Amino acid sequence: MSVRRWVAPLLLCGALIGQALANEAPPDTAQPARMPRLALVIDDLGQNPARDRRVLALPGPVALAILPDTRHAAALAEQAHRAGKTVMLHMPMAPAGGRFAWHPQLAHDELERRLDAALAAVPHVSGVNNHMGSAMTEQPQAMAWLMGELQRRHLFFLDSRTSPRTVAAASAQRVALASLSRDVFLDNDPSPAAVAERLRAAIALARKQGSVVVIGHPHDSTLALLERELPRLAEQGIEWIGIDQMIATRGNRAMAAHGKGGMYR
């Protein structure tokens, strides 16, 4: 008997049993509401070993976004992988410069070569987000190609949303690529008071919409705040989860600030 001939009856049987159990379940067996969730990415890593070590020492599922053209990129990626952290390629995009950076005037073959070289420079990558990129994430053709290429390589994409006109997340959604969009930058203003206010805003947003994706940078003020406050998230009713769990939580749907009806604008 072929696989198709016996899988369908099993699925039907399972569905009928599940429906019967649901009909018989008492009304007080509803699952408790899920805690609001927070995922954290630290960008611009690989430049300073002391700061990188502080990020690695954070006590939960922080994702490390590593610049490919930094001296310590490969070593940090190896350390993060051994520590069970998510490793991301922090891909430079215009107006960023350097030998890996994507720019709108580059030919397709050169974009591909730079992506290949960047991925080779940062081992153990699970996903990509843009470093800078306000001039590049607005390019529909380049973003469409990138998302298809990441799909082929089984990598996810996080749109850092450095431009209000970004088409990166929408391009990822169109090809059903595992992807997310950033909600809150912690430290555009790196003063301690401003970083603390942005973390409070992130927690409030998680409570409002059920989840929040936060990006920070390895400033002393940011790391000091995270070292102090991340262990307190649970007592505030916030679940800190990995970026892969957040992708599953959101199911590639846009938050209200980034789209309508789950679709990116």
Side-chain angles (χ1 to χ4, degrees):
M1 180 180 293
S2 71
V3 171
R4 288 185 177 178
R5 291 178 61 190
W6 58 260
V7 166
L10 282 176
L11 291 175
L12 178 59
C13 180
L16 292 173
I17 291 172
Q19 184 61 49
L21 291 173
N23 291 339
E24 293 176 6
D28 59 352
T29 59
Q31 294 295 314
R34 188 178 65 202
M35 292 170 64
R37 292 178 159 184
L38 178 148
L40 172 67
V41 178
I42 303 297
D43 279 354
D44 293 357
L45 297 176
Q47 303 178 86
N48 182 300
R51 292 184 304 192
D52 294 344
R53 284 193 294 271
R54 288 180 72 182
V55 176
L56 277 172
L58 292 173
V62 60
L64 286 76
I66 302 173
L67 289 163
D69 50 356
T70 54
R71 182 177 179 182
H72 307 285
L76 176 60
E78 293 287 356
Q79 293 168 349
H81 178 68
R82 289 196 297 271
K85 305 291 189 182
T86 297
V87 178
M88 296 175 58
L89 169 63
H90 197 32
M91 184 67 190
M93 295 185 184
R99 60 194 176 99
F100 299 104
W102 275 27
H103 288 263
Q105 71 273 20
L106 292 175
H108 169 87
D109 288 351
E110 180 61 15
L111 295 178
E112 184 172 13
R113 189 195 68 76
R114 293 186 180 203
L115 176 64
D116 287 341
L119 287 167
V122 184
H124 308 296
V125 161
S126 298
V128 174
N129 74 328
N130 52 293
H131 170 58
M132 303 178 74
S134 57
M136 196 69 216
T137 58
E138 299 174 2
Q139 306 297 315
Q141 288 186 329
M143 290 299 103
W145 179 84
L146 175 61
M147 301 316 159
E149 188 63 15
L150 296 182
Q151 184 80 284
R152 186 180 71 81
R153 296 171 187 256
H154 307 292
L155 301 174
F156 68 80
F157 184 77
L158 167 62
D159 189 350
S160 300
R161 300 194 74 85
T162 55
S163 167
R165 295 180 297 277
T166 177
V167 297
S171 299
Q173 191 176 56
R174 278 194 289 272
V175 297
L177 175 70
S179 59
L180 289 167
S181 274
R182 181 270 313 165
D183 296 301
V184 174
F185 274 129
L186 278 181
D187 44 22
N188 283 338
D189 176 349
S191 67
V195 177
E197 186 281 326
R198 295 311 296 156
L199 182 59
R200 288 192 294 270
I203 290 171
L205 185 59
R207 290 176 175 144
K208 178 181 179 181
Q209 65 184 20
S211 65
V212 67
V213 177
V214 178
I215 292 180
H217 301 82
H219 305 301
D220 285 340
S221 55
T222 303
L223 296 178
L225 178 80
L226 294 175
E227 288 162 350
R228 183 176 70 250
E229 296 298 330
L230 287 175
R232 302 176 182 174
L233 287 178
E235 66 189 49
Q236 297 180 68
I238 303 296
E239 182 183 5
W240 182 14
I241 64 173
I243 202 79
D244 55 339
Q245 290 176 279
M246 186 61 80
I247 289 170
T249 294
R250 291 195 170 178
N252 280 9
R253 292 179 61 79
M255 296 292 99
H258 304 148
K260 184 174 182 180
M263 302 301 294
Y264 286 100
R265 288 192 286 266

